[in-house]
Amino acid sequence: MDITTAITSEKVEKWNNFITKHVHNTIFQSPEMYFFYQKVHHFTPYLFISENDSGEITGVLLAVLIKEGNGLKGYLSSRVVVYGGPVISKGESSLPVLDALLHDLVQRLAKRSVFMQFRNFFEWSRKEKQIFEQHGFVFRDRLNLLVDTTDEKLIWSGLSESRRRQVRKGFKAGVSLEAPQNEAEMEQLYRLLVHLYKFKVKKPLPPWSFFKEFYRASGDGGLGIIRLVKKERQIIGGIVATVTSGKAIYEWYVVGLDKQYKNSYPSVMATWGGLNYALKNKLNHFDFMGMGIPDKPYGVREFKMKFGGKMVNYGRFARRNNPLIYRLSELGYNLLRFIGL
């Protein structure tokens, strides 16, 4: 078995074929996502591929190192995130492959980041969890909500009565759901997200380059979709969602001017835009990408649950590369955010 990080056109083709055919295939472990990350400021993708003695791929791990800037702020905010991976061939060699991929990930990136996090899209076995633990990762419960989108009646019946009423009222009020016509419209949506994350969510938001490149990729039919919620030609909300072709759509970012347009329900309509896309494109489910920690208040959980669906707890694996620095970085990073650096 060999772990490689080299990327050639031949390797990309083999990687794409491996991912596409795998039961745990997602856009987040694909070549398209790797090349997207490369174009985003302060995002650095790292690829680890396991191959057997015959040169066949047996595992893929795509991670991204994210920072909020340069210098001290960049280091204090540095984290490695892995969505829905690694993706590994099942069989007798699956555990050694997982072990090797995690070993190389930690060896290469532990000193470059304050912490690492795997955001799971499926259930790991007990033995697989033990491999993560051997490399310093701790399993943490995290809820998520998956909505079956294979049938229109199923989607509609899953909505709460208030949600069904709000969707009807939104369309009756003149709301439309449209793809951005140009980068200027995309930038308007980004400004809405900046305001939301600064004053309400209070968590880091990717830079403009993230949304600009996603817009360009989605326009070419890759990565996912963007839907703007419009009323009287004004952008009052929207959704940015990744898509695994033939499988699922993932709500990455959503925003709506709900207070200013109370009778149009822009946040509800934005989410409905994603659900409707999943139905029209024969995707299996809509993934809300997080419902918080069990038994702990989470601001948008009630909002999301009114769309129906099944609650799952695939959890996350987290690794503090240096516990002391992690605690200090939390304090330091929060201070930097407070003083606006």
Side-chain angles (χ1 to χ4, degrees):
M1 180 175 57
D2 181 48
I3 302 295
T4 179
T5 58
I7 298 178
T8 63
S9 57
E10 180 183 0
K11 190 78 68 179
V12 169
E13 183 177 358
K14 289 173 62 177
W15 170 16
N16 189 63
N17 289 336
F18 173 80
I19 288 292
T20 302
K21 297 175 183 178
H22 200 281
V23 66
H24 294 314
N25 163 41
T26 76
I27 189 68
F28 295 99
Q29 292 292 308
S30 70
E32 292 87 351
M33 189 61 70
Y34 178 92
F35 294 120
F36 164 67
Y37 285 147
Q38 278 191 320
K39 299 174 183 178
V40 179
H41 294 159
H42 306 306
F43 278 53
T44 306
Y46 289 87
L47 175 68
F48 303 86
I49 293 180
S50 169
E51 295 178 313
N52 60 21
D53 295 338
S54 300
E56 298 173 325
I57 292 179
T58 56
V60 169
L61 195 169
L62 173 57
V64 59
L65 173 63
I66 304 173
K67 299 180 179 181
E68 298 306 312
N70 299 315
L72 179 61
K73 183 178 181 180
Y75 178 70
L76 293 176
S77 62
S78 62
R79 67 270 191 194
V80 172
V81 180
V82 180
Y83 290 97
V87 178
I88 299 170
S89 294
K90 294 299 180 182
E92 293 182 1
S93 63
S94 63
L95 293 181
V97 169
L98 176 61
D99 182 54
L101 289 170
L102 293 181
H103 173 271
D104 279 32
L105 173 73
V106 171
Q107 286 291 309
R108 187 168 184 185
L109 296 180
K111 293 182 179 180
R112 302 185 186 186
S113 59
V114 173
F115 69 95
M116 299 178 175
Q117 186 180 85
F118 283 77
R119 300 184 180 184
N120 301 324
F121 290 178
F122 53 88
E123 188 73 41
W124 291 95
S125 71
R126 181 180 60 82
K127 290 184 178 180
E128 289 167 332
K129 288 181 178 179
Q130 289 176 343
I131 299 293
F132 276 95
E133 291 171 0
Q134 290 168 12
H135 290 280
F137 289 91
V138 176
F139 180 83
R140 303 187 187 282
D141 291 312
R142 286 295 189 280
L143 298 173
N144 195 16
L145 186 66
L146 306 178
V147 177
D148 189 323
T149 55
T150 56
D151 180 78
E152 185 173 9
K153 292 182 179 179
L154 190 63
I155 296 175
W156 194 250
S157 64
L159 299 178
S160 69
E161 184 178 345
S162 63
R163 281 287 177 269
R164 291 194 291 268
R165 183 172 61 252
Q166 288 162 356
V167 171
R168 293 192 188 101
K169 284 187 173 182
F171 284 122
K172 190 174 181 180
V175 165
S176 64
L177 297 168
E178 307 173 18
Q181 297 300 308
N182 47 53
E183 282 189 13
E185 286 197 337
M186 187 66 215
E187 193 168 2
Q188 289 182 54
L189 178 63
Y190 176 65
R191 287 199 293 266
L192 295 184
L193 284 165
V194 168
H195 187 273
L196 174 68
Y197 273 70
K198 182 176 181 179
F199 294 103
K200 188 173 182 180
V201 178
K202 296 183 179 179
K203 290 182 179 180
L205 180 71
W208 161 240
S209 60
F210 178 98
F211 295 93
K212 179 179 67 175
E213 295 301 335
F214 192 94
Y215 163 72
R216 292 175 176 177
S218 64
D220 292 334
L223 287 186
I225 67 160
I226 301 162
R227 290 294 179 268
L228 303 178
V229 181
K230 288 186 175 182
K231 183 174 182 180
E232 299 174 351
R233 299 183 180 180
Q234 296 295 314
I235 297 173
I236 64 173
I239 183 172
V240 177
T242 47
V243 173
T244 300
S245 180
K247 188 174 182 180
I249 184 169
Y250 312 84
E251 183 186 85
W252 223 349
Y253 295 95
V254 65
V255 63
L257 298 178
D258 297 316
K259 290 185 178 180
Q260 297 91 323
Y261 295 87
K262 292 182 179 180
N263 296 320
S264 298
Y265 309 101
S267 293
V268 171
M269 299 304 291
T271 303
W272 177 255
L275 288 166
N276 188 58
Y277 178 89
L279 176 68
K280 299 302 182 184
N281 289 272
K282 299 181 180 180
L283 303 180
N284 294 331
H285 65 269
F286 181 102
D287 187 327
F288 273 94
M289 294 289 281
M291 296 286 283
I293 302 171
D295 302 319
K296 184 176 180 179
Y298 181 59
V300 298
R301 183 181 294 150
E302 183 178 350
F303 172 85
K304 293 182 177 182
M305 288 185 66
K306 290 184 178 180
F307 287 95
K310 175 186 176 183
M311 194 80 77
V312 296
N313 182 7
Y314 297 138
R316 295 179 180 178
F317 292 107
R319 185 184 196 275
R320 296 182 180 181
N321 298 325
N322 186 308
L324 177 59
I325 293 178
Y326 178 87
R327 289 192 292 270
L328 292 175
S329 69
E330 275 192 313
L331 295 173
Y333 178 57
N334 288 334
L335 176 60
L336 289 172
R337 290 179 63 198
F338 177 75
I339 62 179
L341 295 179

